Amino acid sequence: IANDTDTLGASADPALTKSLTTPPPIPVGSNIVFALAVTNNGPSNATGVVVTDTLPAGLTYVSNDCGAGFVNLTLTWNVGGLAASASATCNLTVTVTQSGVIINNASAVGNESDPTPGNNADAETVTAQQSVLEIPTLDGIGLAALILVLAAGATYALRRRRRA
């Protein structure tokens, strides 16, 4: 009788979820925050977990709260080890620099064999709007002052006309 033995390697499933934590409306020029959450769905502990997020046109890097590096438009977060069922979150702050629909993608990888690679990436869509021009309004006192200034200007103009 022959025995067949297989050596099974560790298997870990780093799943990434990306969400926009800033509520709309999103005006151009404002800062927004993305939450990047990576969870190891196991079954083994994950090692060497790295999350990357390359910013598209329309978003400019400001900061992050997880010690990630940022070079050439790409955030690189070295999460490191992540036990089975454990998770970690990084908040990424960016400035919106153009109006329209902006899609931002991120992904996570680890050193172990991944049984479900389809959940390693996620995207979030931002719909940025040009800022609305605000027109100042006057209360009763302001309106009365405006009327007095306009009346004085009109009286002055009439007097100059009569002298000419």
Side-chain angles (χ1 to χ4, degrees):
I1 295 179
N3 287 333
D4 183 17
T5 58
D6 291 326
T7 303
L8 299 177
S11 174
D13 180 20
L16 183 74
T17 303
K18 181 174 189 153
S19 58
L20 179 63
T21 63
T22 306
I26 309 281
V28 172
S30 65
N31 284 352
I32 60 173
V33 178
F34 292 106
L36 303 166
V38 60
T39 302
N40 177 15
N41 292 329
S44 302
N45 293 340
T47 61
V49 176
V50 176
V51 173
T52 57
D53 186 336
T54 301
L55 296 182
L59 299 178
T60 302
Y61 176 78
V62 174
S63 66
N64 69 79
D65 67 356
C66 59
F70 188 79
V71 177
N72 295 331
L73 301 176
T74 301
L75 175 100
T76 302
W77 174 29
N78 293 307
V79 180
L82 203 54
S85 300
S87 63
T89 301
C90 181
N91 292 300
L92 168 62
T93 302
V94 299
T95 301
V96 179
T97 60
Q98 70 184 35
S99 62
V101 176
I102 304 167
I103 300 172
N104 184 217
N105 299 293
S107 62
V109 295
N111 291 335
E112 291 70 29
S113 172
D114 188 343
T116 317
N119 63 3
N120 291 31
D122 197 9
E124 188 65 43
T125 301
V126 176
T127 303
Q129 303 169 348
Q130 266 317 336
S131 298
V132 176
L133 178 63
E134 291 188 28
I135 298 172
T137 58
L138 299 174
D139 60 7
I141 294 172
L143 188 56
L146 178 61
I147 291 170
L148 288 175
V149 168
L150 291 175
T155 302
Y156 177 76
L158 285 173
R159 285 186 181 161
R160 288 200 68 178
R161 224 180 200 178
R162 288 184 187 161
R163 288 185 190 161

